[in-house]
Amino acid sequence: MKIGMIQMDAAAGHMEHNIAHGFELMEEAAEHSDLVVMPELWTIGYNFHDLDKKAIQEKDSLLQKLRNLSRTFGVTLIPGTLPVMKRGKIYNTAYVIGPDGESQGSYSKRHLFHEYLESKLMEPGRGMLCTHIQGVKCGLAICFELYFPKMFRKMSQKGTTLVIVPAQWPENHMAHWNVLARARAIENGMYICAVNMAGSYHNTSAGGHSLFVDPEGFSSFEGDGKEHIYYGVYDDNKYENLARTRSVIQLEKPDWAIR
């Protein structure tokens, strides 16, 4: 499965511009991908000013346009996350839209970032989402949630072998980004597709450096902080071979474990 990862440079607060530009990038990536992924809150550029006016409804025309794009190109689309108004509260929500244009489910961020307005203006979600994309069992986590290993372990225990992580990770914490994405992959024996934003917001630069990490902790490319479309390939054979190797290793108790 080939994954188009859109590391978009969003203009903070300029929603119409971001949407138009985002669709240009999604259409380009869809020409070469089975799955297309956007970063977190790309429509607003992580600018929470007048958030209640920028939040969309679940029947908003934007979602219909995203469904039409998936159907037109025959790709699965995870359009990053969007600020979504539900029952009078705003959630940071990711959708999975199948190649037929139908929704396969949604996931709202459970662990909101507490050092900015996100946790004050948004409502935490509940539960997790695991769904099949191109025959691969996939899960979702969002940005800050890379800090919560139990989430990834629970998804792994449900048979998830690829977790998609849309993000708006700041440049000054890129060391954490690299370590955490690789750690979640290695400790669970899964692929991590972490798609970060480029550009800046509120005098803070987004870090870029999106990652497609395999179960051994290696990324298939070395990104930078500028706008790009990167491509990662989920290799079923590589995953199955590694899983068999690990199952053999786990059966062999090390000397220190024998008492």
Side-chain angles (χ1 to χ4, degrees):
M1 176 170 63
K2 190 171 184 181
I3 305 170
M5 305 165 55
I6 300 176
Q7 184 172 291
M8 177 178 166
D9 185 344
H14 297 281
M15 192 168 176
E16 291 184 6
H17 166 80
N18 291 336
I19 290 173
H21 184 47
F23 270 83
E24 291 174 353
L25 294 170
M26 284 186 279
E27 289 175 5
E28 180 181 344
E31 294 277 5
H32 312 285
S33 309
D34 304 301
L35 167 63
V36 174
V37 184
M38 292 286 282
E40 181 185 19
L41 297 175
W42 58 278
T43 60
I44 62 173
Y46 214 75
N47 184 314
F48 293 121
H49 182 68
D50 291 331
L51 183 62
D52 57 335
K53 297 177 182 178
K54 295 173 183 174
I56 67 168
Q57 304 288 332
E58 289 201 295
K59 294 185 179 180
D60 194 277
S61 61
L62 174 60
L63 287 174
Q64 186 56 52
K65 290 177 181 177
L66 291 166
R67 294 188 189 101
N68 291 341
L69 187 150
S70 292
R71 188 182 301 111
T72 298
F73 288 92
V75 299
T76 300
L77 174 63
I78 299 178
T81 72
L82 302 167
V84 179
M85 181 78 74
K86 304 177 188 177
R87 300 176 296 279
K89 297 180 179 180
I90 301 173
Y91 296 81
N92 190 351
T93 301
Y95 292 91
V96 180
I97 303 171
D100 58 357
E102 297 298 320
S103 175
Q104 291 184 206
S106 64
Y107 169 71
S108 294
K109 190 174 184 179
R110 297 166 59 198
H111 305 90
L112 299 173
F113 189 53
H114 287 274
E115 293 184 22
Y116 191 51
L117 294 173
E118 181 181 71
S119 63
K120 296 179 181 179
L121 299 179
M122 291 187 172
E123 189 77 8
R126 297 181 179 180
M128 294 188 298
L129 175 68
C130 293
T131 186
H132 284 87
I133 300 175
Q134 299 284 323
V136 177
K137 193 162 187 179
C138 300
L140 275 165
I142 300 171
C143 196
F144 181 59
E145 293 183 320
L146 280 171
Y147 281 105
F148 297 84
K150 287 185 179 180
M151 275 188 64
F152 293 81
R153 179 53 53 89
K154 287 180 179 178
M155 286 187 276
S156 176
Q157 290 171 341
K158 292 179 180 292
T160 300
T161 58
L162 167 63
V163 176
I164 293 94
V165 187
Q168 283 251 23
W169 201 280
E171 185 179 42
N172 58 330
H173 289 297
M174 290 314 295
H176 293 198
W177 167 260
N178 281 288
V179 170
L180 292 170
R182 296 175 197 276
R184 300 297 86 88
I186 294 168
E187 66 196 9
N188 294 293
M190 58 171 49
Y191 282 85
I192 300 293
C193 173
V195 183
N196 199 22
M197 185 71 78
S200 61
Y201 51 91
H202 288 279
N203 300 317
T204 299
S205 295
H209 289 83
S210 297
L211 295 165
F212 187 76
V213 185
D214 70 17
E216 296 178 282
F218 297 105
S219 183
S220 55
F221 54 82
E222 293 294 329
D224 60 23
K226 299 178 182 179
E227 180 173 278
H228 292 285
I229 300 176
Y230 295 113
Y231 295 94
V233 178
Y234 178 96
D235 187 343
D236 287 297
N237 293 327
K238 182 173 184 178
Y239 179 82
E240 289 172 3
N241 289 338
L242 180 62
R244 282 195 294 269
T245 302
R246 287 193 171 194
S247 67
V248 171
I249 293 172
Q250 289 168 1
L251 288 174
E252 299 175 354
K253 288 187 177 181
D255 291 342
W256 54 262
I258 301 173
R259 295 287 186 271

